[in-house]
Amino acid sequence: HLKHILGFEGISKNANGNLSIQDGYLRFQKSENSSAQIPISSIQDLILGEQDKQVGGIPMMLVKTAAPYEGGRVISLFSHKKYDTVTLEYVDPNGSLHGAIFQLNKGTGQVLRSELEAAGAPITRVENGTAKGSTKETRNEAK
C-alpha cells in the first residue's frame, strides 16, 4: 500500500492504492475500477529517496505554539514521520519518456527496488554519494 504522488496516466495525484508486479507489468491499482500499468521492460531507471514529513496538521501546530518555554521545539522532534520515495523513469509505446513518483512507508522502498530488479528493471546503484550503473550523462554549458 502506498501513495501515487504523480506520473501514472489516468491516476489522480496523491491517490492511495496498491502497487504490484504481475506478468511483466508494474501495476498501480487505486480501486477496483481504476488502475494503471507499465511493462517492467519499459523502465529506464529507478531512484530511491527519503522524505521527512511533519504530521499532526493544524492541531499539532497549535499545541506547539501553546507549549511554554520553547516546548514546541521538543514536540517538533517527535511529530515527524519518515517515508521512502521511489521515482521511476519509463518509456511509453511511442518512445516518449515519462516519470512517476510514489511514497511508501519507511523501509519498503528497498523491497520494491529488489522486486523490480529481480523482474529485470534497470536499477541505479548509489554508493558513497555517486550513482553507479547509469551511463547517461548530461552537460549543461553556459555560452
Side-chain angles (χ1 to χ4, degrees), residues 29-46:
Q29 187 153 6
K30 180 178 169 184
S31 64
E32 292 289 326
N33 300 330
S34 179
S35 68
Q37 65 183 19
I38 59 167
I40 291 175
S41 61
S42 72
I43 296 174
Q44 300 294 306
D45 204 358
L46 181 142

Side-chain angles (χ1 to χ4, degrees), residues 1-123:
H1 192 76
L2 52 88
K3 182 184 280 191
H4 166 260
I5 303 298
L6 62 96
F8 268 14
E9 191 173 320
I11 303 294
S12 60
K13 294 179 183 178
N14 297 318
N16 291 315
N18 293 310
L19 199 62
S20 62
I21 299 171
Q22 298 173 349
D23 302 323
Y25 285 90
L26 179 67
R27 174 181 285 199
F28 178 81
Q29 187 153 6
K30 180 178 169 184
S31 64
E32 292 289 326
N33 300 330
S34 179
S35 68
Q37 65 183 19
I38 59 167
I40 291 175
S41 61
S42 72
I43 296 174
Q44 300 294 306
D45 204 358
L46 181 142
I47 303 162
L48 284 179
E50 291 182 353
Q51 183 180 24
D52 188 26
K53 221 177 198 182
Q54 187 168 348
V55 295
I58 292 175
M60 183 64 74
M61 184 182 67
L62 293 173
V63 168
K64 288 186 339 185
T65 304
Y69 306 109
E70 296 186 24
R73 288 183 171 183
V74 174
I75 293 171
S76 288
L77 292 173
F78 301 103
S79 65
H80 287 265
K81 185 170 181 180
K82 294 188 182 226
Y83 294 97
D84 286 346
T85 57
V86 174
T87 304
L88 295 174
E89 292 179 357
Y90 63 95
V91 177
D92 70 9
N94 298 326
S96 299
L97 185 65
H98 296 273
I101 303 172
F102 299 97
Q103 181 183 41
L104 300 86
N105 289 329
K106 179 78 175 144
T108 56
Q110 185 62 41
V111 173
L112 176 62
R113 175 185 178 153
S114 298
E115 289 175 1
L116 285 170
E117 188 173 31
I123 304 295

